[in-house]
Structure formats: structure tokens, C-alpha cells
Amino acid sequence: MLKNNNIYTGLSLGILVPFLAFGFQWILFGRLESAHLASGEGMALNFKTRTICMIALCANALLVGAYQKRRANETVRGVAIMTVILAFVWFIYYGYEILE
């Protein structure tokens, strides 16, 4: 089995991957805007940031799938816990905009 099949590895990966995915998407969208291939005009306030955060959070689904194939249940549990925590934080921070 895996040497790193523990909940702490899952928690670490569960927070690291969304932050890396967010950074990658932010840079990509910025370059697309500077090349005039994408525009943030006409969108709701915080739409770009809110959407990039949610997509970055969904990157954890890739982790869950990869570690489930390896039957690393403790790591999957850590990633799932961190995903729920981050989703809760996202909803607290951006939920009022959606519910209006």
C-alpha cells in the first residue's frame, strides 16, 4: 500500500491543491485578459474570483479519484474533510452574493 496513507497527507493535499489551482487559473485568466481573449467586463461583482475559487476547490475531486484507485482511504478522508471545510468557508464568504 502507500507509505503516506494517512489523514494528515490528505489534509495537506486538500488545501495545497486548491491553492495551486487557484493561482494557476488566476495567472491564466490574467494572461487571457491581457491578450484580449477574455474579459471580465459586464460580470457581477466578484464573479471571476468566486468562480475561480469554486473551480479550484473542485480540483480536489481529482485527488479523491486518484487516491481511491490506490485504496488510500485515510488520505481520501483527509481530502474530503478539507474540501468540506473550504466549501463551507467559500459559502460563508460568497454565499450572500448568490442568495441576493
Side-chain angles (χ1 to χ4, degrees):
M1 206 45 71
L2 293 173
K3 294 179 184 178
N4 294 331
N5 182 20
N6 60 49
I7 198 163
Y8 301 112
T9 301
L11 291 171
S12 300
L13 288 172
I15 198 159
L16 181 66
V17 168
F19 278 102
L20 291 176
F22 178 84
F24 174 74
Q25 291 176 65
W26 190 264
I27 291 169
L28 179 66
F29 197 77
R31 290 190 182 190
L32 288 173
E33 281 183 332
S34 66
H36 303 292
L37 296 172
S39 174
E41 293 182 26
M43 293 184 189
L45 183 64
N46 290 330
F47 179 79
K48 180 176 94 171
T49 308
R50 186 176 66 211
T51 304
I52 290 175
C53 285
M54 184 52 69
I55 293 169
L57 185 58
C58 292
N60 277 348
L62 299 172
L63 280 177
V64 169
Y67 279 99
Q68 275 184 338
K69 284 183 183 177
R70 297 178 186 170
R71 301 195 189 280
N73 295 332
E74 292 300 314
T75 304
V76 170
R77 184 173 290 135
V79 172
I81 290 169
M82 189 54 67
T83 303
V84 169
I85 291 170
L86 291 174
F88 188 69
V89 169
W90 182 91
F91 188 74
I92 288 173
Y93 194 74
Y94 293 112
Y96 70 92
E97 294 176 13
I98 296 171
L99 296 176
E100 286 183 347

